């Protein structure tokens, strides 16, 4: 076990976070998780039109849970069903990778009504403030039905 000599060691706050630091921290955690047999399989699903990216979703599967990272649809195409189709595609890919449940979080200023329409249930909420107004971060989960 390493010891920290308080005269030699120091904490440093980095803002913005240099990409090499973010990569080193992520790589270190991934190496630890892999040694504990906790694998993380990341993927993205994108929607392109005429060669341009118009929507996409990032996700990963870890310990049999699909974690939705980011879901984005170009502003001019929102409310047209693309987000629902991307979520369905991510869930299908998650199931293919042996996920038995899904988890996603959003802000009260983003899409808190979207996920319940897809069968997600709220399981956590924390309140904060942004730009002088209250904003909640909300976590949702969805259990996948067992395949007979």
């Amino acid at each position: 076990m390493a010891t920290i000599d308080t005269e030699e060691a120091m904490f440093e706050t980095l803002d913005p976070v240099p990409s090499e630091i973010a990569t080193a921290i992520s790589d270190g955690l991934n190496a630890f998780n892999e040694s504990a047999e906790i694998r993380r399989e990341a993927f993205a699903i994108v929607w392109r039109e005429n060669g341009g990216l118009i929507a996409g979703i990032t996700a990963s599967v870890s310990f049999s849970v699909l974690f939705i990272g980011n879901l984005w649809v170009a502003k001019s195409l929102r409310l047209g069903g693309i987000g629902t189709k991307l979520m369905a595609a991510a869930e299908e890919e998650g199931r293919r990778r042996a996920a038995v449940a899904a988890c996603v979080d959003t802000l009260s200023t983003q899409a808190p009504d979207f996920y319940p329409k897809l069968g997600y249930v709220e399981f956590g909420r924390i309140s904060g403030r942004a730009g002088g107004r209250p904003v909640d971060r909300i976590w949702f989960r969805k259990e996948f039905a067992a395949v007979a």
Side-chain angles (χ1 to χ4, degrees), residues 12-138:
E12 182 180 2
T13 301
L14 304 172
D15 182 11
V17 179
S19 61
E20 65 273 10
I21 297 293
T23 298
I25 293 169
S26 181
D27 288 350
L29 181 59
N30 288 337
F32 174 81
N33 286 342
E34 285 183 20
S35 72
E37 297 183 10
I38 300 172
R39 293 184 33 88
R40 180 177 174 268
E41 301 174 27
F43 64 92
I45 300 171
V46 298
W47 191 300
R48 295 182 192 272
E49 205 169 84
N50 300 320
L53 183 66
I54 60 168
I57 190 169
T58 59
S60 64
V61 174
S62 185
F63 52 92
S64 301
V65 177
L66 169 67
F67 292 93
I68 302 297
N70 292 301
L71 171 62
W72 168 78
V73 177
K75 189 174 183 177
S76 63
L77 299 170
R78 290 181 190 152
L79 302 175
I82 294 174
T84 298
K85 290 177 182 176
L86 283 168
M87 286 293 293
E91 289 176 8
E92 182 179 328
E93 182 63 18
R95 285 185 187 95
R96 190 184 74 71
R97 295 172 185 241
V100 297
C103 179
V104 63
D105 69 280
T106 190
L107 299 177
S108 57
T109 57
Q110 291 176 330
D113 298 328
F114 175 69
Y115 298 103
K117 291 176 185 174
L118 303 179
Y120 285 76
V121 176
E122 181 179 330
F123 73 91
R125 180 182 291 247
I126 191 165
S127 296
R129 298 191 68 76
R133 60 182 160 54
V135 177
D136 291 348
R137 187 165 197 171
I138 310 163

